[in-house]
Amino acid sequence: MLVQFALHPRKWLKRRVSAQLFSLLTLLTTVMYFKGLTNAAEASPPAASVETKLQVPSTMTSTPFNTSRYLKVPPNFVISVYARIPKARFMAVAPNGDLLVSQPSTGKVLIVQPNGSNDPIISDFVTGLRKPHDIVFHKIDNTTYVYISETHQINRFIYKSGDITANNRQVVIAGLPDSSTPELKGSYGHELKNIALDANHKLYVSIASTCNACLEDTVSNPRRGAIYQYNADGTNPRLFAQGLRNAEGLAFLPDTNDLWVVVNNRDRIAYPFNDSSGNYGKVIQSYVDDHPPEEFTKVRDGGNYGWPFCNPNPDKPNGFNDMPFDRDFQFNADGRVNCNAMDRITKGIQAHSAPLGLTFLQDTNFPSLYSTGAVVGLHGSWNRQKKTGYKIAYFPWDNTTNIPGDQIDLVSGWLITATQEVWGRPVDMVVDKQGNLLISDDYSGTIYKLSYTPSVEQVQVYKHINFAGVSQSFPASPGIYKASQGNLSIVGNDSISSLRVPPDTVVRVCEHNNGGRCREYGSGDHNVGNDLNDKISFIEVK
């Protein structure tokens, strides 16, 4: 009965209630239906599961694209190389659709303009800056500004649609600490600045730590490992929040004034528990590998998030959610700083993943299945026994609690797990006017384009002969599926007997994940079990 109601509620109701009650119950079921849609939208959409060949224009095949490269993306997505920009960092899409990309290593911000089917046109938007990093467009009354951070100051330029060079520069904040600050004697570990502006035209600046962990930053003026708030013109500075070692990504949850950040947490942490292990106060690599987690957290006015005295602990029942703090052995072994008084971290990320860019997908043209969520660029680890990160993480958003759900992979594969080879390190993400996700990579010097390409045609595989029994479908777009990676989970490993291939598609199937006996099939229906002994662990849609 419940199944009949779920599938055909109107028909079911008409059979069982009077006409007077029908309208009321129809209204109630409509409300229930749309509430179900809302709840479904808050659930996790499909994660990266299709190993897809990266599409590279013939003009952009220099290293690392002098060989075929593959990235894992969700079903019905393709990924391509859009532009090659050495050491590309943070990005912003201009109101007219042009792309700005910071290049700290050259002191430039570049403008990337579409050029039809040809390679985009790349030119200098502004030069002569001191390690420019973050870029934000912001409109005040009838004036649109583009804010660009340098290590020692924040600039804004008046922007008019179609501008290809920066105009009317204003230095709104000067004298920020960087490696030129006398007291630092040329040493500043995290001098690049990230910024954000809220709906009330307040400007927020992350002034990151100079070190891995040190006391000097907690008493400096301005405070380091902190976020400051200013008016949009740089006046009225004040400390907004502290205890944030290196907040790289700053972003406001759309339609709110809730500031969220992702934070690179400390390295080489000493074991903080005086227990029977004998490890108290020692730097144990197996502990360092997973502690402390990186941070993705909402930041409140006046908040203190612990660094360097208190470190979030992911080993409690809540895991990465609302983590309690442990005392830092190096700076707070005696508990002189009360860790219970610190603001809890909303969501943890695997230690040493190095989160950089943070982008909310709400109010963008990205596919609606993912548009209630946030993406984070995980730049990747340098000090972990087994590398981690090197991916774009997606966090579905709970619209009731306004906090992120469990992390899933949106794009992965820049780290080849088997060999630990790294060929790319993602930094930042923006959504263009067409709804593509553009991804910067400062290691390979690339801007990628992740595009949604819904496919009506599907490749269908069946567990039994004569197209019967359990089946599983795959997009007809190019992709690789392996049983060892769970991509053939429905039909079951090593047990596919029938294959249905749509027109203009070629499918290659193999007995083993790494090859073995293989066959290729064009469009039509095929029985493959006898030919391959009912053992298929690898499918490639060409």
Side-chain angles (χ1 to χ4, degrees), residues 341-385:
M342 299 295 105
D343 290 82
R344 293 276 189 98
I345 303 302
T346 311
K347 176 73 70 173
I349 298 172
Q350 169 62 51
H352 313 300
S353 295
L356 297 184
L358 165 63
T359 300
F360 287 102
L361 300 176
Q362 295 88 334
D363 297 341
T364 73
N365 291 326
F366 199 66
S368 58
L369 193 59
Y370 297 84
S371 63
T372 304
V375 284
V376 176
L378 302 184
H379 199 229
S381 60
W382 62 268
N383 62 343
R384 196 171 183 272
Q385 292 180 97

Side-chain angles (χ1 to χ4, degrees), residues 138-145 158-161 201:
H138 186 75
K139 188 173 184 178
I140 302 175
D141 297 326
N142 294 319
T143 302
T144 298
Y145 297 96
I158 296 176
Y159 175 84
K160 295 181 179 179
S161 183
H201 311 309

Side-chain angles (χ1 to χ4, degrees), residues 60-66 69 84 444:
M60 303 185 194
T61 55
S62 58
T63 304
F65 308 123
N66 53 345
R69 295 292 181 181
R84 299 299 303 273
S444 69

Side-chain angles (χ1 to χ4, degrees), residues 268-312:
R268 305 289 294 166
I269 183 176
Y271 188 77
F273 306 115
N274 192 4
D275 54 21
S276 59
S277 69
N279 292 329
Y280 183 54
K282 297 178 182 178
V283 176
I284 307 297
Q285 186 61 49
S286 60
Y287 184 77
V288 169
D289 277 357
D290 298 320
H291 301 86
E294 315 285 37
E295 301 170 348
F296 179 17
T297 195
K298 182 179 175 181
V299 180
R300 70 173 182 88
D301 193 348
N304 189 328
Y305 296 84
W307 179 89
F309 305 104
C310 307
N311 301 300

Side-chain angles (χ1 to χ4, degrees), residues 411-444:
V411 186
S412 63
W414 287 285
L415 167 67
I416 301 175
T417 305
T419 63
Q420 292 288 282
E421 174 197 351
V422 172
W423 59 270
R425 302 188 74 182
V427 177
D428 192 24
M429 306 76 43
V430 293
V431 180
D432 69 13
K433 297 291 186 181
Q434 292 71 43
N436 305 298
L437 187 72
L438 303 179
I439 302 165
S440 61
D441 172 356
D442 63 354
Y443 187 75
S444 69

